[in-house]
Amino acid sequence: MRRRSNATCQKRCLLNFTLCAGPIDRSGSIKTETTLPDSGARHTVRFYDDERLLLAEVAAFLDTALAADGAGHAAGRGAGIVIATPAHLAALRRQLGAAAARVRFLDAADTLSRFMVDGWPDESLFRAVIGPVLAQAGSRGGPVHAFGEMVALLCMEGCYDAAVRLEQLWNLVAADYRFALFCAYPWTLFKDEAQARAFEQVCAEHHCAHGHTPEGRDHDLKDRGLEHVRLEQKVAALEAEMARLRESEEELRWRERELADFVENAVEGLHRVGPDGTILWANRAELQMLGYRWEEYVGRHIAEFHLDAEVIDDILGTLKSGGTLYDRPARLRCKDGSVKQVVIHSNGCFDDGRLRYTRCFTRDATERHQRDAALAQRDAMLLNAPVAAALLVGPELRFHLANRRYCELAGRTDLAGKRFGDCFPQLRGGPVEHALEQVFETGKPFCAQELRIEIRNAAGKPCERYFRFSLEALEDAQGVREGVIVVVVEVTEHVHNRQQIEHAQRERERMLAELSSANQAKDEFLAMLGHELRNPLSPIVTALQLMRMRDGHGDGQVRHVRERDIIQRQVDHLVRLVDDLLDVSRVTRGKIDLKPERIALAQVLGKAVEMASLLIEQRRHRLEVEIEDGLEWVCDPVRLAQVVSNLLTNAARYTEPGGQVQLRAHRDGASAVVISVADNGIGLAPEMRSQVFDLFFQGKRSVDRAEGGLGIGLALVKNIVALHGGTVEARSEGRGRGSEFVVRLPLGSAPAVPAAPDTDVPAVQRRVLIVDDNVDGAETLGSLLAALGHTVEVYHDPVAALAAFERLQPEVALLDIGLPVLDGYQLAARIRALPGGQACRLVALTGYGQEADRARSQAGGFERHLVKPISPGDAARVVAGG
């Protein structure tokens, strides 16, 4: 019997109290509209069993007021009032959704307590509590729908008279406020005739009284006695039950027909066999599988169709004894003479211990038989493979088989039926097990050419071995993964041979790198050596030329004092460079012999300060010296002074002009003396601290190479300190944070002869600009050119030279490449951009003379490239334009 939908029931109920329910939309909600009477309020009561139907009905009732847009009411001006239990309040909030904002929700028990006096509703208190709620709800001008459960709460407490009185109070207050009231009582409150009077009184106080039939249909209860209503409900329930029985009988007959059709037309072969082996029935699939008609198969003994007599005898014996067959293989004879491989599932039907018949399912297993044969052939091939092979099945990766070669590699023969991880616990969680799992899960093959595995040898010791692993997923005919085929080839010997070759190759590459590095260091050293030697040689050669020129004019010896001083300073510089080179050579060959003596350390350090003072003064550094009083030590004073002088020189070179250098010496306990040289210079990067003592090592320098040096001073320091049994350490917090060198000591090739001056120079006077930060070189070159009759201005600062350019308007500019602030290339570009700059001939001065250096100066706009030391004749010819 069909049951009407809840929506239909709700619609019928609502119509009975002038609420017209609209159609149900796709979301399941009910669209409603209100049709209120012309005068007075509507007071409706619902007796219910199903709370879901009630709540849906109340939600629709409230929604008609909230959505009202007719009968003089503007859309959205309606309001709702709900006085109910907490559970019903929450359910109605959910059902109303956003519209709940215009509904006043009150707890029924709490509201009831505010106007009850001695178990009886007080009229004045009721008006005081309910009146403002109704007034506020009606203030918008729209309809007001209220739902209340307070009367039901009173009945639950047995106060039926009080509930009737409360219904009367609602009717009285309706004279002052316009609203529609919907009350609800569970049927459980009116179980028998004891509540009949109260039931009739409740119905009498309402305009409409409704209930639900067992089928969910609306039932008008107005002017009906409780006993009559109950009888009607019982009759309706009985009729519904009879309808359900008729429907069930029809359903049963339909299912029997359906089952018969299912069995007859099943794709599996089915047949029934009597206790004597006679075939009693067979379905269409069974007959088609074997090719027989009904009369050719049914009524015959089953043994006539079995190829193997012992098999059918065993089958019949098992079934007669109450056994069950599952997947029992057999061979059946078809009508055309062919043989069908099948599997049989069968059990018996018994009555009082006697076999009535057997139920048999016959499945064509020809393909399965062929597959099993193919699998057997595959297994045989794997077992006889010349390489190690194994088959693991199932998600647990259990060994189905492993051939002899695989067992030999694994060192065990008891693999069958065991999980991979249990057989090889040392590989659990490792790359091999992970690869097996991935292949089984994804079906993608895996190959590892040289997988390293540590396996214990016969003596139980771990042994490193290498294998080539090939993993392939094993799938059945339907593409379902059943396992993984593993093929393993040991390549340990091959790997070891390759590793030896690779090691030899790495050694060769390392030696080549070392040779290349040494060669690069040599090239850089030679380039730096040429630069360092050419810088002092240039003013020497020029000064000597000036001396010769002045001697030729009879100026006497007095005018040569300044030039000789210059020569002396520069020669001294060359001597120190050569001494360092000789000392490095001696140290690296172990040819230095120390001449120790006891001497005051202050005296040795004073000599070191004197040796480095010229550079410190030139760079305008502030030197702080702190030496512990009375500090004596047995050492080679000359070599120790050389150590400290090199450290001071290094600090002065790598600290910007005007910096701070500190020299400290103190006793460290009773066994050592510590000498430290600290500066606030450019500092050391972390990776450089361990390299600064390497021979010829130099950090990154600026293009003007203001730091100077050959990169051998610190190497000398380290070796000389080591000869004294001490250590030296470089400390720095990083680039730009200064450096400190700490010494801890235990107590207990000659330059070429300058060519003769070339006096055959054209007598042309030029305006000449010289820019070189080597003061001596620039000054002597300027003096030489001035002596030749040229107008010369010398600048050591490129910025000042640019400022004087427009005033001087030089015809020739000799520019040093390694200038501070702006190098020679940048200065040349600036000059070209000045007025008259295009007419000025640019000549590069540099200590570098390789082809790449000459090409770069030419690309930078220089007309000539002069390598220091500059021949006076070359300088004169270049300026004159020769």
PDB file of all heavy atoms in Angstrom, residues 277-289:
ATOM      1  N   GLY A 277      21.628 -39.897  -7.932  1.00  0.00           N
ATOM      2  CA  GLY A 277      22.504 -39.370  -8.974  1.00  0.00           C
ATOM      3  C   GLY A 277      21.771 -38.921 -10.215  1.00  0.00           C
ATOM      4  O   GLY A 277      22.415 -38.492 -11.185  1.00  0.00           O
ATOM      5  N   THR A 278      20.429 -38.992 -10.244  1.00  0.00           N
ATOM      6  CA  THR A 278      19.674 -38.569 -11.417  1.00  0.00           C
ATOM      7  C   THR A 278      19.559 -37.049 -11.428  1.00  0.00           C
ATOM      8  O   THR A 278      19.271 -36.415 -10.405  1.00  0.00           O
ATOM      9  CB  THR A 278      18.271 -39.184 -11.395  1.00  0.00           C
ATOM     10  OG1 THR A 278      18.378 -40.620 -11.380  1.00  0.00           O
ATOM     11  CG2 THR A 278      17.471 -38.755 -12.627  1.00  0.00           C
ATOM     12  N   ILE A 279      19.743 -36.451 -12.604  1.00  0.00           N
ATOM     13  CA  ILE A 279      19.633 -35.003 -12.751  1.00  0.00           C
ATOM     14  C   ILE A 279      18.155 -34.643 -12.755  1.00  0.00           C
ATOM     15  O   ILE A 279      17.389 -35.101 -13.617  1.00  0.00           O
ATOM     16  CB  ILE A 279      20.307 -34.527 -14.043  1.00  0.00           C
ATOM     17  CG1 ILE A 279      21.795 -34.891 -14.040  1.00  0.00           C
ATOM     18  CG2 ILE A 279      20.134 -33.016 -14.218  1.00  0.00           C
ATOM     19  CD1 ILE A 279      22.497 -34.608 -15.349  1.00  0.00           C
ATOM     20  N   LEU A 280      17.710 -33.839 -11.762  1.00  0.00           N
ATOM     21  CA  LEU A 280      16.311 -33.491 -11.624  1.00  0.00           C
ATOM     22  C   LEU A 280      15.949 -32.209 -12.350  1.00  0.00           C
ATOM     23  O   LEU A 280      14.802 -32.053 -12.793  1.00  0.00           O
ATOM     24  CB  LEU A 280      15.959 -33.351 -10.136  1.00  0.00           C
ATOM     25  CG  LEU A 280      16.260 -34.577  -9.268  1.00  0.00           C
ATOM     26  CD1 LEU A 280      15.927 -34.281  -7.816  1.00  0.00           C
ATOM     27  CD2 LEU A 280      15.473 -35.792  -9.764  1.00  0.00           C
ATOM     28  N   TRP A 281      16.897 -31.308 -12.474  1.00  0.00           N
ATOM     29  CA  TRP A 281      16.597 -30.013 -13.113  1.00  0.00           C
ATOM     30  C   TRP A 281      17.924 -29.349 -13.480  1.00  0.00           C
ATOM     31  O   TRP A 281      18.960 -29.555 -12.838  1.00  0.00           O
ATOM     32  CB  TRP A 281      15.817 -29.127 -12.137  1.00  0.00           C
ATOM     33  CG  TRP A 281      15.682 -27.688 -12.586  1.00  0.00           C
ATOM     34  CD1 TRP A 281      14.734 -27.165 -13.390  1.00  0.00           C
ATOM     35  CD2 TRP A 281      16.565 -26.603 -12.235  1.00  0.00           C
ATOM     36  NE1 TRP A 281      14.941 -25.829 -13.594  1.00  0.00           N
ATOM     37  CE2 TRP A 281      16.063 -25.449 -12.865  1.00  0.00           C
ATOM     38  CE3 TRP A 281      17.699 -26.506 -11.457  1.00  0.00           C
ATOM     39  CZ2 TRP A 281      16.672 -24.199 -12.750  1.00  0.00           C
ATOM     40  CZ3 TRP A 281      18.314 -25.268 -11.325  1.00  0.00           C
ATOM     41  CH2 TRP A 281      17.811 -24.133 -11.960  1.00  0.00           C
ATOM     42  N   ALA A 282      17.905 -28.536 -14.535  1.00  0.00           N
ATOM     43  CA  ALA A 282      19.089 -27.776 -14.945  1.00  0.00           C
ATOM     44  C   ALA A 282      18.630 -26.471 -15.574  1.00  0.00           C
ATOM     45  O   ALA A 282      17.607 -26.439 -16.281  1.00  0.00           O
ATOM     46  CB  ALA A 282      19.945 -28.577 -15.931  1.00  0.00           C
ATOM     47  N   ASN A 283      19.362 -25.408 -15.324  1.00  0.00           N
ATOM     48  CA  ASN A 283      18.964 -24.120 -15.897  1.00  0.00           C
ATOM     49  C   ASN A 283      19.545 -23.955 -17.300  1.00  0.00           C
ATOM     50  O   ASN A 283      20.301 -24.799 -17.797  1.00  0.00           O
ATOM     51  CB  ASN A 283      19.361 -22.955 -14.985  1.00  0.00           C
ATOM     52  CG  ASN A 283      20.857 -22.712 -14.958  1.00  0.00           C
ATOM     53  OD1 ASN A 283      21.649 -23.515 -15.447  1.00  0.00           O
ATOM     54  ND2 ASN A 283      21.262 -21.582 -14.379  1.00  0.00           N
ATOM     55  N   ARG A 284      19.187 -22.868 -17.923  1.00  0.00           N
ATOM     56  CA  ARG A 284      19.554 -22.632 -19.309  1.00  0.00           C
ATOM     57  C   ARG A 284      21.071 -22.541 -19.469  1.00  0.00           C
ATOM     58  O   ARG A 284      21.643 -23.042 -20.440  1.00  0.00           O
ATOM     59  CB  ARG A 284      18.888 -21.340 -19.795  1.00  0.00           C
ATOM     60  CG  ARG A 284      19.158 -21.037 -21.260  1.00  0.00           C
ATOM     61  CD  ARG A 284      18.376 -19.819 -21.718  1.00  0.00           C
ATOM     62  NE  ARG A 284      16.947 -20.105 -21.615  1.00  0.00           N
ATOM     63  CZ  ARG A 284      16.045 -19.241 -21.137  1.00  0.00           C
ATOM     64  NH1 ARG A 284      16.418 -18.069 -20.706  1.00  0.00           N
ATOM     65  NH2 ARG A 284      14.770 -19.579 -21.090  1.00  0.00           N
ATOM     66  N   ALA A 285      21.780 -21.870 -18.505  1.00  0.00           N
ATOM     67  CA  ALA A 285      23.226 -21.698 -18.620  1.00  0.00           C
ATOM     68  C   ALA A 285      23.940 -23.046 -18.589  1.00  0.00           C
ATOM     69  O   ALA A 285      24.916 -23.268 -19.314  1.00  0.00           O
ATOM     70  CB  ALA A 285      23.732 -20.811 -17.487  1.00  0.00           C
ATOM     71  N   GLU A 286      23.451 -23.983 -17.765  1.00  0.00           N
ATOM     72  CA  GLU A 286      24.067 -25.305 -17.673  1.00  0.00           C
ATOM     73  C   GLU A 286      23.935 -26.035 -19.003  1.00  0.00           C
ATOM     74  O   GLU A 286      24.884 -26.649 -19.510  1.00  0.00           O
ATOM     75  CB  GLU A 286      23.400 -26.105 -16.550  1.00  0.00           C
ATOM     76  CG  GLU A 286      23.891 -27.523 -16.403  1.00  0.00           C
ATOM     77  CD  GLU A 286      24.930 -27.680 -15.302  1.00  0.00           C
ATOM     78  OE1 GLU A 286      25.291 -26.665 -14.687  1.00  0.00           O
ATOM     79  OE2 GLU A 286      25.375 -28.816 -15.083  1.00  0.00           O
ATOM     80  N   LEU A 287      22.723 -25.997 -19.580  1.00  0.00           N
ATOM     81  CA  LEU A 287      22.486 -26.699 -20.841  1.00  0.00           C
ATOM     82  C   LEU A 287      23.304 -26.084 -21.977  1.00  0.00           C
ATOM     83  O   LEU A 287      23.877 -26.801 -22.800  1.00  0.00           O
ATOM     84  CB  LEU A 287      20.996 -26.668 -21.176  1.00  0.00           C
ATOM     85  CG  LEU A 287      20.068 -27.388 -20.176  1.00  0.00           C
ATOM     86  CD1 LEU A 287      18.613 -27.136 -20.514  1.00  0.00           C
ATOM     87  CD2 LEU A 287      20.368 -28.888 -20.145  1.00  0.00           C
ATOM     88  N   GLN A 288      23.348 -24.727 -22.016  1.00  0.00           N
ATOM     89  CA  GLN A 288      24.100 -24.081 -23.084  1.00  0.00           C
ATOM     90  C   GLN A 288      25.593 -24.342 -22.962  1.00  0.00           C
ATOM     91  O   GLN A 288      26.302 -24.493 -23.968  1.00  0.00           O
ATOM     92  CB  GLN A 288      23.830 -22.562 -23.054  1.00  0.00           C
ATOM     93  CG  GLN A 288      22.419 -22.201 -23.494  1.00  0.00           C
ATOM     94  CD  GLN A 288      22.154 -20.696 -23.393  1.00  0.00           C
ATOM     95  OE1 GLN A 288      22.948 -19.954 -22.799  1.00  0.00           O
ATOM     96  NE2 GLN A 288      21.029 -20.272 -23.960  1.00  0.00           N
ATOM     97  N   MET A 289      26.108 -24.400 -21.724  1.00  0.00           N
ATOM     98  CA  MET A 289      27.534 -24.622 -21.534  1.00  0.00           C
ATOM     99  C   MET A 289      27.956 -25.976 -22.107  1.00  0.00           C
ATOM    100  O   MET A 289      29.012 -26.098 -22.735  1.00  0.00           O
ATOM    101  CB  MET A 289      27.873 -24.549 -20.032  1.00  0.00           C
ATOM    102  CG  MET A 289      29.339 -24.828 -19.706  1.00  0.00           C
ATOM    103  SD  MET A 289      29.694 -24.662 -17.950  1.00  0.00           S
ATOM    104  CE  MET A 289      28.648 -25.921 -17.250  1.00  0.00           C
TER     105      MET A 289
END
